[in-house]
């Protein structure tokens, strides 16, 4: 099974940028897509973006579109999330996850998760 490890989180000021990385070791041709989700204290886990391994099709939450960019390196089995124009409300633990079935926008459609990386945006 795929094992996921996120990195790149940290503390940034509003308006700043951050690039998150996810190492997806053990990926197989049956792994269709990867997603990024985030969860703030007291909030539900929410969809951020996803990308398919084969075609590189991308999907974004409306609120992230234009600010966040998801990408992948198939040779390295890494997935990235470039975050620009960060806002305090972006503060959350960010998780990468491997897609299983169902809606790409739903956390329940993913069956493998990383440990998460903290992103804190100060005002």
């Amino acid at each position: 099974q795929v094992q996921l490890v996120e990195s790149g989180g940290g503390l940034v000021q509003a308006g700043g940028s951050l690039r998150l990385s996810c190492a997806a070791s053990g990926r197989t041709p049956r792994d269709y897509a990867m997603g990024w989700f985030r969860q703030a204290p007291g909030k539900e886990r929410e969809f951020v973006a996803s990308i398919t391994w084969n075609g590189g099709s991308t999907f974004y939450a409306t609120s992230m579109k234009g600010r966040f960019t998801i990408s992948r390196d198939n040779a390295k089995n890494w997935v990235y999330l470039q975050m620009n124009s960060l806002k305090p409300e972006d503060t959350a633990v960010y998780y990468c996850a491997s897609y299983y079935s169902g809606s790409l926008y739903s956390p329940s459609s993913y069956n493998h998760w990383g440990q998460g990386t903290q992103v804190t945006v100060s005002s």
Side-chain angles (χ1 to χ4, degrees):
Q1 64 174 210
V2 64
Q3 296 177 354
L4 310 174
V5 180
E6 303 96 334
S7 61
L11 174 65
V12 297
Q13 289 188 287
S17 299
L18 209 58
R19 191 194 195 200
L20 306 183
S21 300
C22 176
S25 60
R27 184 176 71 88
T28 75
R30 296 197 75 253
D31 296 312
Y32 177 70
M34 295 288 292
W36 283 99
F37 292 81
R38 69 185 187 186
Q39 188 164 27
K43 305 279 284 185
E44 293 183 351
R45 188 164 298 188
E46 67 173 333
F47 173 79
V48 175
S50 67
I51 187 167
T52 63
W53 283 111
N54 199 221
S57 298
T58 57
F59 307 84
Y60 296 92
T62 302
S63 60
M64 319 299 174
K65 204 167 188 178
R67 297 194 300 124
F68 292 7
T69 303
I70 188 170
S71 61
R72 87 276 194 259
D73 185 329
N74 287 43
K76 293 183 173 66
N77 289 329
W78 279 37
V79 179
Y80 309 95
L81 183 68
Q82 178 66 48
M83 305 185 293
N84 299 324
S85 302
L86 285 163
K87 307 172 182 178
E89 48 262 50
D90 293 320
T91 296
V93 176
Y94 284 71
Y95 300 88
C96 68
S98 181
Y99 175 82
Y100 173 63
S101 66
S103 172
L104 285 168
Y105 302 90
S106 175
S108 64
S109 299
Y110 297 74
N111 64 342
H112 293 99
W113 296 80
Q115 82 288 351
T117 185
Q118 177 70 48
V119 171
T120 302
V121 184
S122 62
S123 58

PDB file of all heavy atoms in Angstrom, residues 4-34:
ATOM      1  N   LEU A   4       2.321   7.717   2.728  1.00  0.00           N
ATOM      2  CA  LEU A   4       2.374   9.137   2.437  1.00  0.00           C
ATOM      3  C   LEU A   4       3.008   9.926   3.572  1.00  0.00           C
ATOM      4  O   LEU A   4       2.664   9.732   4.733  1.00  0.00           O
ATOM      5  CB  LEU A   4       0.962   9.659   2.181  1.00  0.00           C
ATOM      6  CG  LEU A   4       0.125   8.864   1.179  1.00  0.00           C
ATOM      7  CD1 LEU A   4      -1.296   9.408   1.125  1.00  0.00           C
ATOM      8  CD2 LEU A   4       0.768   8.923  -0.202  1.00  0.00           C
ATOM      9  N   VAL A   5       3.910  10.815   3.208  1.00  0.00           N
ATOM     10  CA  VAL A   5       4.576  11.660   4.188  1.00  0.00           C
ATOM     11  C   VAL A   5       4.596  13.093   3.686  1.00  0.00           C
ATOM     12  O   VAL A   5       5.210  13.386   2.658  1.00  0.00           O
ATOM     13  CB  VAL A   5       6.017  11.196   4.471  1.00  0.00           C
ATOM     14  CG1 VAL A   5       6.672  12.115   5.495  1.00  0.00           C
ATOM     15  CG2 VAL A   5       6.027   9.760   4.970  1.00  0.00           C
ATOM     16  N   GLU A   6       3.926  13.992   4.402  1.00  0.00           N
ATOM     17  CA  GLU A   6       3.891  15.396   4.029  1.00  0.00           C
ATOM     18  C   GLU A   6       5.057  16.153   4.662  1.00  0.00           C
ATOM     19  O   GLU A   6       5.562  15.775   5.714  1.00  0.00           O
ATOM     20  CB  GLU A   6       2.583  16.059   4.480  1.00  0.00           C
ATOM     21  CG  GLU A   6       1.322  15.411   3.947  1.00  0.00           C
ATOM     22  CD  GLU A   6       0.713  14.433   4.925  1.00  0.00           C
ATOM     23  OE1 GLU A   6       1.463  13.870   5.762  1.00  0.00           O
ATOM     24  OE2 GLU A   6      -0.510  14.221   4.867  1.00  0.00           O
ATOM     25  N   SER A   7       5.425  17.244   4.017  1.00  0.00           N
ATOM     26  CA  SER A   7       6.456  18.117   4.549  1.00  0.00           C
ATOM     27  C   SER A   7       6.277  19.502   3.948  1.00  0.00           C
ATOM     28  O   SER A   7       5.542  19.678   2.983  1.00  0.00           O
ATOM     29  CB  SER A   7       7.857  17.584   4.248  1.00  0.00           C
ATOM     30  OG  SER A   7       8.088  17.501   2.853  1.00  0.00           O
ATOM     31  N   GLY A   8       6.949  20.479   4.514  1.00  0.00           N
ATOM     32  CA  GLY A   8       6.928  21.824   3.968  1.00  0.00           C
ATOM     33  C   GLY A   8       6.066  22.820   4.705  1.00  0.00           C
ATOM     34  O   GLY A   8       6.043  24.003   4.352  1.00  0.00           O
ATOM     35  N   GLY A   9       5.357  22.378   5.722  1.00  0.00           N
ATOM     36  CA  GLY A   9       4.531  23.296   6.485  1.00  0.00           C
ATOM     37  C   GLY A   9       5.383  24.227   7.326  1.00  0.00           C
ATOM     38  O   GLY A   9       6.586  24.035   7.475  1.00  0.00           O
ATOM     39  N   GLY A  10       4.738  25.242   7.871  1.00  0.00           N
ATOM     40  CA  GLY A  10       5.454  26.192   8.693  1.00  0.00           C
ATOM     41  C   GLY A  10       4.640  27.427   8.965  1.00  0.00           C
ATOM     42  O   GLY A  10       3.427  27.461   8.731  1.00  0.00           O
ATOM     43  N   LEU A  11       5.311  28.445   9.461  1.00  0.00           N
ATOM     44  CA  LEU A  11       4.679  29.719   9.784  1.00  0.00           C
ATOM     45  C   LEU A  11       5.024  30.760   8.736  1.00  0.00           C
ATOM     46  O   LEU A  11       6.199  30.982   8.440  1.00  0.00           O
ATOM     47  CB  LEU A  11       5.151  30.192  11.164  1.00  0.00           C
ATOM     48  CG  LEU A  11       4.695  31.576  11.616  1.00  0.00           C
ATOM     49  CD1 LEU A  11       3.183  31.603  11.796  1.00  0.00           C
ATOM     50  CD2 LEU A  11       5.392  31.949  12.918  1.00  0.00           C
ATOM     51  N   VAL A  12       4.002  31.376   8.177  1.00  0.00           N
ATOM     52  CA  VAL A  12       4.201  32.424   7.176  1.00  0.00           C
ATOM     53  C   VAL A  12       3.257  33.583   7.459  1.00  0.00           C
ATOM     54  O   VAL A  12       2.245  33.421   8.130  1.00  0.00           O
ATOM     55  CB  VAL A  12       3.966  31.917   5.738  1.00  0.00           C
ATOM     56  CG1 VAL A  12       4.967  30.833   5.376  1.00  0.00           C
ATOM     57  CG2 VAL A  12       2.543  31.398   5.580  1.00  0.00           C
ATOM     58  N   GLN A  13       3.607  34.744   6.937  1.00  0.00           N
ATOM     59  CA  GLN A  13       2.749  35.907   7.075  1.00  0.00           C
ATOM     60  C   GLN A  13       1.700  35.927   5.976  1.00  0.00           C
ATOM     61  O   GLN A  13       1.890  35.348   4.909  1.00  0.00           O
ATOM     62  CB  GLN A  13       3.575  37.190   7.011  1.00  0.00           C
ATOM     63  CG  GLN A  13       4.447  37.436   8.222  1.00  0.00           C
ATOM     64  CD  GLN A  13       5.085  38.804   8.195  1.00  0.00           C
ATOM     65  OE1 GLN A  13       6.010  39.051   7.428  1.00  0.00           O
ATOM     66  NE2 GLN A  13       4.590  39.697   9.033  1.00  0.00           N
ATOM     67  N   ALA A  14       0.591  36.585   6.255  1.00  0.00           N
ATOM     68  CA  ALA A  14      -0.465  36.726   5.257  1.00  0.00           C
ATOM     69  C   ALA A  14       0.115  37.320   3.983  1.00  0.00           C
ATOM     70  O   ALA A  14       0.910  38.258   4.031  1.00  0.00           O
ATOM     71  CB  ALA A  14      -1.581  37.602   5.793  1.00  0.00           C
ATOM     72  N   GLY A  15      -0.281  36.745   2.862  1.00  0.00           N
ATOM     73  CA  GLY A  15       0.236  37.191   1.579  1.00  0.00           C
ATOM     74  C   GLY A  15       1.446  36.419   1.118  1.00  0.00           C
ATOM     75  O   GLY A  15       1.858  36.539  -0.040  1.00  0.00           O
ATOM     76  N   GLY A  16       1.991  35.616   2.004  1.00  0.00           N
ATOM     77  CA  GLY A  16       3.168  34.841   1.678  1.00  0.00           C
ATOM     78  C   GLY A  16       2.842  33.559   0.945  1.00  0.00           C
ATOM     79  O   GLY A  16       1.685  33.266   0.648  1.00  0.00           O
ATOM     80  N   SER A  17       3.882  32.787   0.675  1.00  0.00           N
ATOM     81  CA  SER A  17       3.738  31.540  -0.064  1.00  0.00           C
ATOM     82  C   SER A  17       4.397  30.386   0.668  1.00  0.00           C
ATOM     83  O   SER A  17       5.303  30.574   1.484  1.00  0.00           O
ATOM     84  CB  SER A  17       4.361  31.664  -1.461  1.00  0.00           C
ATOM     85  OG  SER A  17       3.726  32.662  -2.225  1.00  0.00           O
ATOM     86  N   LEU A  18       3.950  29.206   0.354  1.00  0.00           N
ATOM     87  CA  LEU A  18       4.485  28.001   0.945  1.00  0.00           C
ATOM     88  C   LEU A  18       4.273  26.856  -0.037  1.00  0.00           C
ATOM     89  O   LEU A  18       3.256  26.821  -0.733  1.00  0.00           O
ATOM     90  CB  LEU A  18       3.777  27.708   2.262  1.00  0.00           C
ATOM     91  CG  LEU A  18       4.517  26.959   3.370  1.00  0.00           C
ATOM     92  CD1 LEU A  18       5.789  27.695   3.770  1.00  0.00           C
ATOM     93  CD2 LEU A  18       3.604  26.805   4.577  1.00  0.00           C
ATOM     94  N   ARG A  19       5.217  25.949  -0.082  1.00  0.00           N
ATOM     95  CA  ARG A  19       5.089  24.782  -0.940  1.00  0.00           C
ATOM     96  C   ARG A  19       5.126  23.514  -0.103  1.00  0.00           C
ATOM     97  O   ARG A  19       6.122  23.235   0.565  1.00  0.00           O
ATOM     98  CB  ARG A  19       6.208  24.729  -1.977  1.00  0.00           C
ATOM     99  CG  ARG A  19       5.985  23.675  -3.063  1.00  0.00           C
ATOM    100  CD  ARG A  19       7.243  23.434  -3.852  1.00  0.00           C
ATOM    101  NE  ARG A  19       6.986  22.705  -5.090  1.00  0.00           N
ATOM    102  CZ  ARG A  19       7.909  22.032  -5.774  1.00  0.00           C
ATOM    103  NH1 ARG A  19       9.160  22.015  -5.364  1.00  0.00           N
ATOM    104  NH2 ARG A  19       7.579  21.409  -6.895  1.00  0.00           N
ATOM    105  N   LEU A  20       4.052  22.767  -0.156  1.00  0.00           N
ATOM    106  CA  LEU A  20       3.969  21.509   0.560  1.00  0.00           C
ATOM    107  C   LEU A  20       4.341  20.357  -0.364  1.00  0.00           C
ATOM    108  O   LEU A  20       4.071  20.403  -1.560  1.00  0.00           O
ATOM    109  CB  LEU A  20       2.558  21.281   1.099  1.00  0.00           C
ATOM    110  CG  LEU A  20       1.956  22.387   1.965  1.00  0.00           C
ATOM    111  CD1 LEU A  20       0.588  21.954   2.474  1.00  0.00           C
ATOM    112  CD2 LEU A  20       2.881  22.731   3.120  1.00  0.00           C
ATOM    113  N   SER A  21       4.944  19.336   0.206  1.00  0.00           N
ATOM    114  CA  SER A  21       5.332  18.165  -0.559  1.00  0.00           C
ATOM    115  C   SER A  21       4.760  16.918   0.081  1.00  0.00           C
ATOM    116  O   SER A  21       4.574  16.859   1.293  1.00  0.00           O
ATOM    117  CB  SER A  21       6.856  18.051  -0.634  1.00  0.00           C
ATOM    118  OG  SER A  21       7.433  19.176  -1.251  1.00  0.00           O
ATOM    119  N   CYS A  22       4.503  15.929  -0.728  1.00  0.00           N
ATOM    120  CA  CYS A  22       4.010  14.647  -0.252  1.00  0.00           C
ATOM    121  C   CYS A  22       4.741  13.542  -0.987  1.00  0.00           C
ATOM    122  O   CYS A  22       4.622  13.427  -2.205  1.00  0.00           O
ATOM    123  CB  CYS A  22       2.502  14.529  -0.479  1.00  0.00           C
ATOM    124  SG  CYS A  22       1.802  12.928  -0.034  1.00  0.00           S
ATOM    125  N   ALA A  23       5.482  12.749  -0.253  1.00  0.00           N
ATOM    126  CA  ALA A  23       6.177  11.607  -0.829  1.00  0.00           C
ATOM    127  C   ALA A  23       5.255  10.401  -0.773  1.00  0.00           C
ATOM    128  O   ALA A  23       4.819  10.000   0.311  1.00  0.00           O
ATOM    129  CB  ALA A  23       7.463  11.331  -0.062  1.00  0.00           C
ATOM    130  N   ALA A  24       4.952   9.844  -1.926  1.00  0.00           N
ATOM    131  CA  ALA A  24       4.026   8.719  -2.022  1.00  0.00           C
ATOM    132  C   ALA A  24       4.782   7.449  -2.393  1.00  0.00           C
ATOM    133  O   ALA A  24       4.792   7.034  -3.552  1.00  0.00           O
ATOM    134  CB  ALA A  24       2.929   9.013  -3.038  1.00  0.00           C
ATOM    135  N   SER A  25       5.393   6.841  -1.429  1.00  0.00           N
ATOM    136  CA  SER A  25       6.130   5.614  -1.679  1.00  0.00           C
ATOM    137  C   SER A  25       5.174   4.429  -1.800  1.00  0.00           C
ATOM    138  O   SER A  25       4.115   4.406  -1.177  1.00  0.00           O
ATOM    139  CB  SER A  25       7.149   5.357  -0.566  1.00  0.00           C
ATOM    140  OG  SER A  25       6.503   5.227   0.686  1.00  0.00           O
ATOM    141  N   GLY A  26       5.554   3.460  -2.607  1.00  0.00           N
ATOM    142  CA  GLY A  26       4.740   2.280  -2.784  1.00  0.00           C
ATOM    143  C   GLY A  26       3.563   2.455  -3.723  1.00  0.00           C
ATOM    144  O   GLY A  26       2.635   1.650  -3.706  1.00  0.00           O
ATOM    145  N   ARG A  27       3.589   3.498  -4.530  1.00  0.00           N
ATOM    146  CA  ARG A  27       2.504   3.744  -5.470  1.00  0.00           C
ATOM    147  C   ARG A  27       2.477   2.658  -6.542  1.00  0.00           C
ATOM    148  O   ARG A  27       3.527   2.204  -7.012  1.00  0.00           O
ATOM    149  CB  ARG A  27       2.669   5.117  -6.118  1.00  0.00           C
ATOM    150  CG  ARG A  27       1.520   5.490  -7.059  1.00  0.00           C
ATOM    151  CD  ARG A  27       1.687   6.900  -7.589  1.00  0.00           C
ATOM    152  NE  ARG A  27       2.785   7.014  -8.538  1.00  0.00           N
ATOM    153  CZ  ARG A  27       2.670   6.809  -9.849  1.00  0.00           C
ATOM    154  NH1 ARG A  27       1.497   6.453 -10.366  1.00  0.00           N
ATOM    155  NH2 ARG A  27       3.724   6.947 -10.640  1.00  0.00           N
ATOM    156  N   THR A  28       1.264   2.257  -6.951  1.00  0.00           N
ATOM    157  CA  THR A  28       1.064   1.261  -8.000  1.00  0.00           C
ATOM    158  C   THR A  28       0.179   1.853  -9.080  1.00  0.00           C
ATOM    159  O   THR A  28      -0.440   2.905  -8.890  1.00  0.00           O
ATOM    160  CB  THR A  28       0.412  -0.014  -7.452  1.00  0.00           C
ATOM    161  OG1 THR A  28      -0.981   0.227  -7.209  1.00  0.00           O
ATOM    162  CG2 THR A  28       1.083  -0.472  -6.167  1.00  0.00           C
ATOM    163  N   PRO A  29       0.093   1.172 -10.242  1.00  0.00           N
ATOM    164  CA  PRO A  29      -0.780   1.671 -11.322  1.00  0.00           C
ATOM    165  C   PRO A  29      -2.251   1.755 -10.920  1.00  0.00           C
ATOM    166  O   PRO A  29      -3.028   2.447 -11.583  1.00  0.00           O
ATOM    167  CB  PRO A  29      -0.580   0.639 -12.432  1.00  0.00           C
ATOM    168  CG  PRO A  29       0.806   0.114 -12.207  1.00  0.00           C
ATOM    169  CD  PRO A  29       0.928   0.043 -10.721  1.00  0.00           C
ATOM    170  N   ARG A  30      -2.629   1.082  -9.848  1.00  0.00           N
ATOM    171  CA  ARG A  30      -4.007   1.135  -9.390  1.00  0.00           C
ATOM    172  C   ARG A  30      -4.316   2.397  -8.587  1.00  0.00           C
ATOM    173  O   ARG A  30      -5.475   2.677  -8.295  1.00  0.00           O
ATOM    174  CB  ARG A  30      -4.344  -0.099  -8.557  1.00  0.00           C
ATOM    175  CG  ARG A  30      -4.282  -1.401  -9.349  1.00  0.00           C
ATOM    176  CD  ARG A  30      -5.001  -2.535  -8.647  1.00  0.00           C
ATOM    177  NE  ARG A  30      -6.439  -2.420  -8.751  1.00  0.00           N
ATOM    178  CZ  ARG A  30      -7.242  -2.069  -7.749  1.00  0.00           C
ATOM    179  NH1 ARG A  30      -6.735  -1.817  -6.551  1.00  0.00           N
ATOM    180  NH2 ARG A  30      -8.543  -1.989  -7.937  1.00  0.00           N
ATOM    181  N   ASP A  31      -3.290   3.126  -8.232  1.00  0.00           N
ATOM    182  CA  ASP A  31      -3.492   4.390  -7.532  1.00  0.00           C
ATOM    183  C   ASP A  31      -3.811   5.463  -8.561  1.00  0.00           C
ATOM    184  O   ASP A  31      -2.953   5.843  -9.354  1.00  0.00           O
ATOM    185  CB  ASP A  31      -2.253   4.751  -6.713  1.00  0.00           C
ATOM    186  CG  ASP A  31      -1.988   3.752  -5.601  1.00  0.00           C
ATOM    187  OD1 ASP A  31      -2.940   3.424  -4.868  1.00  0.00           O
ATOM    188  OD2 ASP A  31      -0.831   3.291  -5.473  1.00  0.00           O
ATOM    189  N   TYR A  32      -5.033   5.946  -8.528  1.00  0.00           N
ATOM    190  CA  TYR A  32      -5.550   6.814  -9.574  1.00  0.00           C
ATOM    191  C   TYR A  32      -5.225   8.288  -9.385  1.00  0.00           C
ATOM    192  O   TYR A  32      -4.866   8.990 -10.333  1.00  0.00           O
ATOM    193  CB  TYR A  32      -7.064   6.621  -9.666  1.00  0.00           C
ATOM    194  CG  TYR A  32      -7.746   7.511 -10.675  1.00  0.00           C
ATOM    195  CD1 TYR A  32      -7.562   7.307 -12.039  1.00  0.00           C
ATOM    196  CD2 TYR A  32      -8.586   8.540 -10.253  1.00  0.00           C
ATOM    197  CE1 TYR A  32      -8.195   8.114 -12.964  1.00  0.00           C
ATOM    198  CE2 TYR A  32      -9.229   9.346 -11.174  1.00  0.00           C
ATOM    199  CZ  TYR A  32      -9.028   9.129 -12.522  1.00  0.00           C
ATOM    200  OH  TYR A  32      -9.661   9.928 -13.443  1.00  0.00           O
ATOM    201  N   ALA A  33      -5.369   8.757  -8.165  1.00  0.00           N
ATOM    202  CA  ALA A  33      -5.197  10.182  -7.919  1.00  0.00           C
ATOM    203  C   ALA A  33      -4.756  10.464  -6.490  1.00  0.00           C
ATOM    204  O   ALA A  33      -4.840   9.608  -5.608  1.00  0.00           O
ATOM    205  CB  ALA A  33      -6.509  10.910  -8.208  1.00  0.00           C
ATOM    206  N   MET A  34      -4.299  11.686  -6.294  1.00  0.00           N
ATOM    207  CA  MET A  34      -3.910  12.163  -4.975  1.00  0.00           C
ATOM    208  C   MET A  34      -4.670  13.432  -4.660  1.00  0.00           C
ATOM    209  O   MET A  34      -5.035  14.190  -5.560  1.00  0.00           O
ATOM    210  CB  MET A  34      -2.411  12.439  -4.919  1.00  0.00           C
ATOM    211  CG  MET A  34      -1.542  11.209  -5.091  1.00  0.00           C
ATOM    212  SD  MET A  34      -1.596  10.142  -3.623  1.00  0.00           S
ATOM    213  CE  MET A  34      -0.737  11.190  -2.435  1.00  0.00           C
TER     214      MET A  34
END
